[in-house]
Amino acid sequence: MKITQNTIVGLTYELKVSKEEEEVESAPFSVEVRDEEDPFYFLFGNSGLPEKFEELLAGKKQGESFEFTLTAEEAYGKADDDMIMALPKDQFSQERGFEASMLEEGNFLPLVDENGYQMQAKVLKDLGEEVLLDFNHPLVGFDLHFEGEIHEVREATAEEIAHGHVHGEHGHQH
């Protein structure tokens, strides 16, 4: 079966990133490996992943390998200064499930928006009564280098299509 709209896709891969700063490209370094023990599954056409990522996988079959690079523009774009905000520290209390150590610079805070969607923010700086957070995607500004294999391709169920995500062993449990 080929990867097409509304198929469930499982991938094994290594993701390396690089960044171009002042006309000098950094050497790619590994940031994520998904192996046979923990493949990455998504609903093709509704993954929330960069469009170009899905476009480059379209039509491939189980067992095929892939290798491609998404430029920062094709991936998550450039950092948006409007996504950097100072928020009162009291919003991150122990009653809300936060520990003081979680607010240290460089940490990623697991958050939920007003619609119940999970997100994260990187702690940039402790400002005393406030904390400066970056809500940009962690891979914003990076070129993404993927090398991997199509682990599985199957038809999505009607329920998966309706819900917009993978169910069962490799997905969301209701």
Side-chain angles (χ1 to χ4, degrees):
M1 166 175 279
K2 288 185 175 184
I3 296 174
T4 58
Q5 187 75 14
N6 293 330
T7 54
I8 300 299
V9 180
L11 305 175
T12 57
Y13 62 83
E14 179 176 14
L15 168 60
K16 295 180 180 180
V17 299
S18 62
K19 197 171 204 166
E20 191 177 305
E21 292 184 30
E22 298 175 24
E23 305 307 315
V24 177
E25 173 112 13
S26 68
F29 60 94
S30 184
V31 294
E32 182 179 32
V33 174
R34 299 298 291 262
D35 60 19
E36 306 261 335
E37 310 246 326
D38 184 30
F40 171 66
Y41 280 83
F42 64 96
L43 174 60
F44 191 84
N46 195 29
S47 67
L49 297 165
E51 251 179 73
K52 187 73 174 178
F53 178 84
E54 287 196 0
E55 186 181 304
L56 292 167
L57 291 174
K60 294 196 177 298
K61 297 183 218 163
Q62 184 172 325
E64 277 190 62
S65 60
F66 60 89
E67 186 173 352
F68 55 79
T69 298
L70 301 182
T71 65
E73 291 74 25
E74 293 169 328
Y76 294 101
K78 301 281 184 211
D80 181 351
D81 290 341
D82 291 340
M83 299 294 285
I84 298 174
M85 302 170 203
L87 297 175
K89 270 191 190 170
D90 61 16
Q91 288 188 9
F92 306 100
S93 64
Q94 278 192 314
E95 294 79 36
R96 294 186 177 182
F98 294 95
E99 300 291 329
S101 62
M102 294 171 79
L103 297 179
E104 292 175 9
E105 290 180 24
N107 284 349
F108 285 90
L109 294 176
L111 303 171
V112 177
D113 71 9
E114 60 275 1
N115 298 316
Y117 292 108
Q118 293 183 348
M119 56 193 277
Q120 62 182 2
K122 183 176 183 180
V123 178
L124 296 179
K125 190 162 183 67
D126 183 335
L127 301 172
E129 295 294 312
E130 294 181 321
V131 63
L132 189 63
L133 300 177
D134 183 350
F135 287 89
N136 282 293
H137 190 283
L139 295 175
V140 76
F142 286 97
D143 291 342
L144 309 182
H145 308 268
F146 288 93
E147 184 175 348
E149 187 175 296
I150 310 302
H151 181 72
E152 182 179 353
V153 182
R154 67 169 174 81
E155 290 285 338
T157 65
E159 185 179 39
E160 287 172 322
I161 294 168
H163 289 190
H165 56 251
V166 181
H167 288 181
E169 180 186 355
H170 301 289
H172 189 75
Q173 309 296 326
H174 285 281

